[in-house]
Amino acid sequence: MAVEFFIGRRYLRSKQKQAFISLITLLSVAGVTVGVMALIVVIAVMSGFESDLKSRILNVDAHVVLQRHLSPFTEYETVGDYLAGRPDVAAASPFILSQVMVRSAAGVTAAIIRGVDPATVGRVIEYLDAAPLMQEDRASGAGIVLGKTLAEQLGVGIGDAVQLISPRGMLSPVGHLPVMKQFEVAGFFESGMYEYDRSLGFITLAQARKLLRMPDAVTGIEIRVHDIYQADTIRQQIVDVLGFPYWASDWMQKNRNLFSALKLEKTVMFIILALIVLVAAFNIASTLIMMVMEKKKDIAILRAMGATDRQVRRIFVFKGMVIGLIGTVLGGCLGFILCSLLARYHFIELPGDVYYVTTLPVELQVFDVARIAVAALCICFLATLYPARQASRLNPVEAIRNG
């Protein structure tokens, strides 16, 4: 073992003449521990929120949506065959989208109706059970599947009748007359996203065409891909092959602002909580400065025996880094334990009417832990530089004379 590391280890293990220095050393370790633990827990919770939100969005939205400019999308079957032949596409399903008014015996509200193909939509939108839409022998009309929150607002249950009122009606001398058609509630869905559960309903493509006066046309085709992170590349390839007037959007485009905000918030929280480690680093610097003052005579003797400036600096850098390493390891262990407890026992509950989750989602990522550990050790290393430099510049003659 190099002589500087040997002496640094002896300084760590020996009792200080001033108990105050030992106290500051303990506080330094505790500060680094608390800072690293807080960083790990907070970043793990924010990663959990981001991952959970991403999962919910991908469950309710198609990965890529293909639409057409200017003219009606009538050749959707040919385009669907092309998409089905692509190896990177898992499934594709046509849809019709429109805003309507939904009226029940209890009230009326605005909603978004999606006409879907019951045979293929389940492979694109995982949360939707389209089987109830296939039943045709209904007393109150064609079937409709409503979001759970929307159904509660309308006060309807399975088998109840609702009326859909579309502004895209028949042309008359005074303008377009709205079309009203009765449907029977065939089922409910719950996606976990309030915006969808509150405002969305599903009917078949055939019924949507009748309601919206769209013979043999659709709004677009929803596409599910095998690799969600290649959705942008796949979207561009599809548009390049089909050409104008086709255009497409992917899930990353539609939610870019949301995920950018989450990423920025995560970065800001990392910087704020890293200040706790920075405060602990000041304690490490204070400890080393006071140790340099206490060990002046020892340093002078080492210099007189031939120790170089670099060797003296290493002694105090070693001690400061050991303090930082102990705090980082303890903080990492405590952070991992706390994250495990949060993930397993859910003892922190969130109000369901405010958040889309009722417990804290926790996802501890190896990259985040490594980044936190490296940041903490770098801060501790920087804190050792000034005291180590002051020790290396100590005049041995003056130190022995005044010591």
Side-chain angles (χ1 to χ4, degrees):
M1 183 183 293
V3 63
E4 53 265 36
F5 297 137
F6 174 77
I7 296 172
R9 189 181 66 172
R10 291 291 300 271
Y11 280 173
L12 279 170
R13 297 175 62 182
S14 63
K15 293 184 178 180
Q16 307 295 332
K17 293 180 180 179
Q18 299 181 19
F20 186 62
I21 298 179
S22 299
L23 177 62
I24 294 181
T25 302
L26 291 176
L27 291 176
S28 302
V29 173
V32 175
T33 300
V34 171
V36 171
M37 180 186 69
L39 267 170
I40 287 177
V41 173
V42 171
I43 297 301
V45 170
M46 296 190 71
S47 296
F49 267 109
E50 182 179 358
S51 178
D52 188 73
L53 183 59
K54 184 184 298 182
S55 174
R56 290 172 184 266
I57 288 175
L58 291 175
N59 282 337
V60 301
D61 258 349
H63 299 162
V64 178
V65 176
L66 177 67
Q67 294 179 269
R68 181 184 174 96
H69 286 295
L70 306 175
S71 58
F73 197 156
T74 56
E75 63 282 3
Y76 61 92
E77 293 182 350
T78 303
V79 175
D81 292 338
Y82 158 70
L83 294 173
R86 290 184 61 97
D88 48 13
V89 172
S93 180
F95 72 96
I96 294 175
L97 190 68
S98 180
Q99 290 183 326
V100 299
M101 297 296 293
V102 185
R103 186 174 68 183
S104 69
V108 60
T109 185
I112 297 174
I113 289 299
R114 293 176 70 168
V116 296
D117 179 6
T120 60
V121 69
R123 297 195 294 267
V124 178
I125 304 176
E126 294 183 345
Y127 69 89
L128 178 65
D129 179 13
L133 295 177
M134 298 183 181
Q135 184 180 345
E136 297 181 355
D137 52 339
R138 300 181 186 278
S140 303
I144 183 172
V145 176
L146 297 175
K148 187 175 180 181
T149 307
L150 177 59
E152 291 174 352
Q153 182 175 358
L154 291 170
V156 294
I158 301 293
D160 290 341
V162 295
Q163 289 81 39
L164 300 188
I165 305 172
S166 170
R168 298 178 61 173
M170 298 180 63
L171 186 63
S172 72
V174 295
H176 280 84
L177 295 176
V179 173
M180 183 172 66
K181 186 174 178 59
Q182 184 166 287
F183 287 80
E184 180 180 312
V185 179
F188 307 117
F189 69 86
E190 189 171 9
S191 65
M193 298 289 286
Y194 177 79
E195 292 78 6
Y196 289 84
D197 297 342
R198 161 64 185 81
S199 61
L200 195 57
F202 290 89
I203 58 178
T204 64
L205 274 177
Q207 293 298 330
R209 289 196 184 102
K210 293 178 182 179
L211 178 67
L212 302 172
R213 299 292 191 267
M214 293 177 62
D216 200 29
V218 298
T219 302
I221 298 178
E222 295 178 308
I223 305 167
R224 193 169 193 87
V225 299
H226 291 293
D227 187 352
I228 61 173
Y229 297 106
Q230 292 296 319
D232 180 57
T233 303
I234 297 171
R235 171 190 64 81
Q236 191 60 50
Q237 290 175 353
I238 292 172
V239 173
D240 290 342
V241 171
L242 297 177
F244 186 83
Y246 293 98
W247 65 279
S249 60
D250 60 80
W251 69 273
M252 289 182 283
Q253 280 183 320
K254 290 189 287 186
N255 299 284
R256 181 176 297 168
N257 292 339
L258 175 61
F259 288 113
S260 296
L262 288 174
K263 184 177 180 180
L264 177 62
E265 186 176 357
K266 189 176 179 180
T267 302
V268 171
M269 291 302 297
F270 182 90
I271 295 172
I272 292 173
L273 292 174
L275 295 178
I276 300 176
V277 181
L278 185 61
V279 172
F282 284 126
N283 287 338
I284 293 175
S286 302
T287 301
L288 295 178
I289 290 172
M290 286 187 286
M291 177 166 284
V292 170
M293 297 173 62
E294 181 184 343
K295 302 293 184 181
K296 276 186 178 182
K297 190 172 182 179
D298 295 353
I299 297 171
I301 294 173
L302 287 172
R303 294 296 304 277
M305 293 175 63
T308 63
D309 291 353
R310 185 177 182 182
Q311 288 176 319
V312 174
R313 285 197 299 269
R314 281 184 174 181
I315 293 172
F316 293 94
V317 170
F318 174 76
K319 178 172 181 178
M321 288 304 296
V322 169
I323 293 172
L325 182 61
I326 293 173
T328 300
V329 172
L330 288 176
C333 293
L334 291 176
F336 177 78
I337 292 171
L338 190 52
C339 287
S340 300
L341 293 175
L342 284 171
R344 182 172 182 179
Y345 294 107
H346 305 296
F347 49 80
I348 296 181
E349 295 185 357
L350 303 176
D353 56 341
V354 178
Y355 301 96
Y356 66 90
V357 291
T358 56
T359 58
L360 286 178
V362 178
E363 182 176 316
L364 194 59
Q365 300 178 352
V366 176
F367 173 75
D368 288 335
V369 175
R371 183 177 59 165
I372 291 167
V374 169
L377 291 175
C378 287
I379 292 173
C380 293
F381 172 74
L382 293 175
T384 65
L385 295 181
Y386 176 75
R389 180 172 175 270
Q390 292 300 107
S392 66
R393 297 178 63 182
L394 195 65
N395 190 322
V397 176
E398 292 294 331
I400 293 175
R401 179 186 301 164
N402 299 328

